[in-house]
Amino acid sequence: MTLAAATGCGGETQGKPTESAESADSVTYITAFGAAGRDAFAWIAEEKGYFREARLNVRIELGKAAGENLKAMASGQVQFASLDLTGAMISAGAAGGKGYKDFRAILAIHQQTLVSIMSMEGTGITTPKDLAGKKIAAAANSVNQLLFPGYARLAGIEAAGVSWVAVQPVQLGSTLASGKVDALSTFLIGRPTIEKATMQAKQKKLVVFPYSEYLPDLFGNAVLTTTELTKKDPDLVKRFREAMRKALVYTVEHPDEAAALLHQKQPETAADAASQEIKLMTPSVTAEGTGASIGLISKTRMLGAIESLRSAGLVESAMTPEDVVDFAAMPGS
């Protein structure tokens, strides 16, 4: 059974053959969540022939969320997945050691976490501390909730009184606008969609609190694979990483073209919304001002990310960069 069928996440798409069966490796990749603009680069890799050049036949399936995507990799359903790297690190490094650890990141999509809290103007929530005792909507078992205790600790929020309401991502805007919750947590690049809902319903703009204000060293989405595959076939891992890196670069350089292709492949995704999302995420992809190359995960940056989570009390002290990243897949290795 495919991941799409198993999780009900809205379908799948079979990548078109890129090489003969004799010369190409066949793998399955799942997106971070559905077919949003942030995931358009996978279809760019298919359409532009980057997979073919890398001697890969890639099946693209629609993912559900970080936890579900990790489960899909752990079960062997897929070989590569896009998901929030910070969420995976929290799961792997939490006290008790029960989280899934057998993954390695091979490509950074976002060099900075995009997780945020959003509320409407006029609700009395003007600073993070005002979230104490409030209801916050978010996707179930998402990084938004996993990371919140650390964010709350650093931002001075009394986290114990906060209650979470599980909501499908497409319902976040309407749930906030209806007044059923006081705030919501989602990626910063989702702001236009959320604000459109609140403006239509109540003519109210958003108050936004980025987690990065207190946790600046954390990564956002990344492409991950299993530890086993990095050891069993490092060449395949490198080829997949390079194909996806080329696609990510092309996507941020040609957002409208990438969005149009995404709409063609996944008609339920509006091209204009996808293009806007790609443009909004571009600064986090290019990491302007940091000198980081697109897709690169350095040991220095990962040490900073681990230390941020450690200081927030979200991972144990034993975690190392090598526990998270396959540095052998990075350029120059």
Side-chain angles (χ1 to χ4, degrees):
M1 181 164 57
T2 67
L3 177 68
T7 62
C9 58
E12 61 183 85
T13 177
Q14 172 66 56
K16 47 188 177 182
T18 52
E19 279 289 351
S20 67
E22 292 78 14
S23 60
D25 292 296
S26 294
V27 297
T28 299
Y29 165 82
I30 47 176
T31 66
F33 194 100
R38 73 200 72 169
D39 290 301
F41 69 106
W43 285 276
I44 285 289
E46 175 187 270
E47 186 70 17
K48 295 298 178 183
Y50 300 146
F51 288 148
R52 181 177 62 251
E53 293 170 3
R55 307 190 314 280
L56 296 169
N57 282 312
V58 180
R59 182 183 184 88
I60 303 171
E61 295 190 356
L62 307 187
K64 193 168 185 181
E68 295 302 316
N69 287 6
L70 284 173
K71 288 178 184 177
M73 280 206 308
S75 67
Q77 292 182 60
V78 304
Q79 290 73 49
F80 298 95
S82 176
L83 54 98
D84 191 277
L85 181 54
T86 296
M89 291 170 66
I90 294 171
S91 176
K98 295 182 179 180
Y100 178 63
K101 296 180 172 63
D102 293 327
F103 68 83
R104 292 294 182 270
I106 62 172
L107 178 79
I109 301 171
H110 307 133
Q111 294 281 344
Q112 186 179 54
T113 180
L114 299 178
V115 179
S116 69
I117 299 285
M118 301 182 189
S119 185
M120 288 187 294
E121 290 181 346
T123 60
I125 299 175
T126 58
T127 71
K129 290 183 180 180
D130 296 328
L131 294 168
K134 300 297 193 293
K135 290 182 180 179
I136 304 177
N141 302 315
S142 64
V143 65
N144 310 71
Q145 291 170 266
L146 288 172
L147 192 53
F148 184 76
Y151 169 74
R153 178 178 170 182
L154 296 173
I157 304 167
E158 291 291 338
V162 172
S163 58
W164 291 87
V165 178
V167 175
Q168 291 294 324
V170 294
Q171 298 173 332
L172 284 170
S174 60
T175 300
L176 179 64
S178 70
K180 294 178 181 177
V181 296
D182 304 294
L184 58 82
S185 186
T186 189
F187 277 10
L188 285 167
I189 52 181
R191 178 174 183 167
T193 301
I194 303 299
E195 195 154 58
K196 182 178 181 180
T198 60
M199 289 298 292
Q200 286 179 339
K202 295 192 174 182
Q203 292 296 305
K204 291 187 177 180
K205 294 185 177 181
L206 295 176
V207 178
V208 181
F209 308 122
Y211 279 28
S212 59
E213 182 178 352
Y214 293 93
L215 296 161
D217 295 322
L218 301 183
F219 288 88
N221 280 2
V223 177
L224 277 59
T225 189
T226 63
T227 305
E228 179 184 7
L229 190 58
T230 65
K231 295 176 180 178
K232 180 180 178 181
D233 200 337
D235 178 64
L236 185 155
V237 172
K238 281 189 175 183
R239 284 184 280 128
F240 186 85
R241 181 200 186 277
E242 182 57 18
M244 293 294 267
R245 188 197 67 81
K246 288 180 180 178
L248 183 59
V249 171
Y250 191 94
T251 296
V252 297
E253 290 178 348
H254 305 86
D256 293 337
E257 180 185 343
L261 175 63
L262 177 61
H263 175 68
Q264 177 186 328
K265 298 289 186 177
Q266 301 290 322
E268 73 282 3
T269 302
D272 57 346
S275 177
Q276 189 173 28
E277 182 169 303
I278 293 167
K279 291 171 184 176
L280 285 170
M281 82 174 191
T282 294
S284 72
V285 173
T286 57
E288 292 173 355
T290 70
S293 299
I294 290 179
L296 180 68
I297 306 176
S298 70
K299 289 187 181 182
T300 301
R301 277 292 319 279
M302 184 47 63
L303 279 169
I306 292 172
E307 184 54 38
S308 287
L309 294 179
R310 208 177 270 152
S311 66
L314 295 174
V315 300
E316 293 182 327
S317 60
M319 179 176 279
T320 69
E322 289 77 11
D323 293 330
V324 182
V325 181
D326 177 25
F327 291 107
M330 294 296 140
S333 59

